[in-house]
Amino acid sequence: MTDKLPYIIPFATFLKNEKNLSQNTIDRIIETSNHFWNFYSTNSSFTPLVKDISSNDVREYLVFLEANLHLKTTTINKHLSYLRNYLNYLYEHNLIDKYPLVQIKGKHYTRQHLYIVNWMSFIPQIAHISNIHFETIILLTCVSLGLEPKNILQIKYSDLIEQIHDTWLKNYIEKRTNFTFFTNPYLLQTSTGGHYATEFNIQQKIKNDRDILNMPLNLEYLRRSYIYSILQKDYSDEVLISKLHLSMTSLLNYKKNLIYYVKVKDFSIQNIKKTRIQKRSCD
């Protein structure tokens, strides 16, 4: 079952009355936009929302058109042109805050996307960096344990701590968790003890950590980098589906992307400037 394209009725009305397009052109735009939305909805780790569509989501859709549907570049660009109408509409009518096509220029779009992988075993060392935020460690730890992004913002202390086997990291998290409001608090909590509705404020707080670690830290990126890390190991498809919580279709897409369209680079603690690292205790 596919999800209905958000704002389809006002969008179609806009194309007809404001853009004065023919019905045939409108039908093609709607068809492509709906096809993208179904692809996005199927592969999104979050509840699919138009405001969360990123340039990487569009890029992966274009890769899907080429790798899975075997479309030619000219046809892909035509689909992109149709999709641009929908994304322009969303942006111009303040339905999304970020325009997803800024870095995508038709046939010149970058097909290979770099992911930093195999950072999971370095989390205790990252936590030793004096100016790394607690929130960054929580995000990394949650993703490294296989938790999906949609569940991480509401993760509570007891739910995470029971899954951690590293004693130092366990103590680090316990010492820095705010127990002021609840005995079992949210690990990523607001000033009043509640959980964040989105990761925006967290990402604003930890933005300097991205520069320190030389890698993006948004949940969608971390989730994908974790998946690509695990795919490099010699697991059966059955184990991968269970471990990564993926459908067979999504698993095959990730595998194909890893072979043809994704570049990976191993995380290295040596890439972090030594002046930024100061060994600290969990106190």
Side-chain angles (χ1 to χ4, degrees):
M1 182 178 179
T2 56
D3 294 322
K4 185 178 180 181
L5 179 71
Y7 308 107
I8 183 173
I9 294 177
F11 176 50
T13 301
F14 169 80
L15 293 176
K16 181 177 181 179
N17 297 338
E18 301 295 328
K19 303 289 285 185
N20 297 314
L21 299 179
S22 69
Q23 189 59 50
N24 184 51
T25 302
I26 292 173
D27 290 343
R28 290 181 180 180
I29 292 172
I30 295 295
E31 182 181 12
T32 294
S33 301
N34 196 57
H35 189 247
F36 166 75
W37 179 253
N38 290 331
F39 172 85
Y40 171 69
S41 300
T42 301
N43 291 281
S44 177
S45 299
F46 296 96
T47 300
L49 299 171
V50 291
K51 69 180 183 65
D52 294 326
I53 296 173
S54 67
S55 59
N56 194 56
D57 295 317
V58 177
R59 186 178 290 108
E60 291 200 353
Y61 174 66
L62 300 179
V63 168
F64 170 78
L65 295 180
E66 182 178 46
N68 294 64
L69 302 187
H70 309 293
L71 300 184
K72 296 180 179 179
T73 299
T74 53
T75 306
I76 293 172
N77 286 338
K78 189 173 293 185
H79 281 279
L80 178 59
S81 176
Y82 291 147
L83 180 58
R84 182 176 283 110
N85 283 273
Y86 180 59
L87 297 175
N88 283 348
Y89 171 82
L90 295 176
Y91 186 70
E92 291 170 2
H93 289 78
N94 298 314
L95 299 172
I96 56 176
D97 297 323
K98 296 177 291 184
Y99 184 59
L101 297 182
V102 172
Q103 299 177 333
I104 299 177
K105 308 295 182 183
K107 65 179 180 180
H108 300 295
Y109 67 84
T110 302
R111 295 183 180 179
Q112 286 196 315
H113 191 67
L114 176 65
Y115 283 91
I116 306 300
V117 297
N118 298 321
W119 43 264
M120 295 83 74
S121 62
F122 292 96
I123 295 176
Q125 290 173 265
I126 294 172
H128 275 94
I129 302 173
S130 61
N131 44 357
I132 284 288
H133 291 84
F134 173 70
E135 290 83 357
T136 294
I137 302 305
I138 295 301
L139 294 181
L140 293 173
T141 301
C142 286
V143 174
S144 75
L145 292 171
L147 298 177
E148 296 181 67
K150 63 183 179 182
N151 300 321
I152 291 175
L153 294 181
Q154 299 184 38
I155 191 75
K156 290 191 173 182
Y157 171 79
S158 64
D159 297 326
L160 183 65
I161 210 72
E162 293 172 357
Q163 301 183 58
I164 300 174
H165 302 295
D166 185 282
T167 302
W168 187 92
L169 185 59
K170 236 179 193 179
N171 291 335
Y172 169 93
I173 292 174
E174 181 180 0
K175 293 287 185 180
R176 287 163 176 78
T177 298
N178 184 358
F179 293 96
T180 302
F181 300 100
F182 303 102
T183 55
N184 185 28
Y186 295 109
L187 287 170
L188 299 168
Q189 58 180 276
T190 64
S191 58
T192 57
H195 66 80
Y196 289 98
T198 70
E199 63 176 309
F200 177 79
N201 288 331
I202 297 172
Q203 291 298 326
Q204 289 294 104
K205 184 174 182 179
I206 68 174
K207 60 183 179 181
N208 289 337
D209 294 359
R210 299 195 294 266
D211 295 330
I212 295 173
L213 299 178
N214 295 313
M215 61 183 283
L217 293 171
N218 62 294
L219 284 171
E220 196 68 34
Y221 177 92
L222 291 178
R223 168 68 174 168
R224 287 171 175 160
S225 69
Y226 170 73
I227 289 173
Y228 290 129
S229 299
I230 300 302
L231 287 182
Q232 293 178 312
K233 302 182 185 300
D234 189 23
Y235 291 129
S236 67
D237 286 349
E238 290 74 16
V239 171
L240 289 171
I241 288 172
S242 175
K243 187 177 184 66
L244 299 175
H245 311 294
L246 296 173
S247 66
M248 177 58 77
T249 300
S250 293
L251 177 61
L252 293 177
N253 283 337
Y254 277 113
K255 281 188 169 184
K256 183 170 289 187
N257 288 346
L258 183 59
I259 295 172
Y260 297 109
Y261 304 106
V262 168
K263 290 178 63 178
V264 295
K265 179 180 178 182
D266 283 329
F267 178 85
S268 173
I269 203 73
Q270 303 302 321
N271 290 340
I272 301 172
K273 292 183 179 179
K274 293 182 179 180
T275 55
R276 287 173 170 164
I277 302 177
Q278 294 178 9
K279 188 172 181 180
R280 61 183 179 189
S281 69
C282 61
D283 296 329

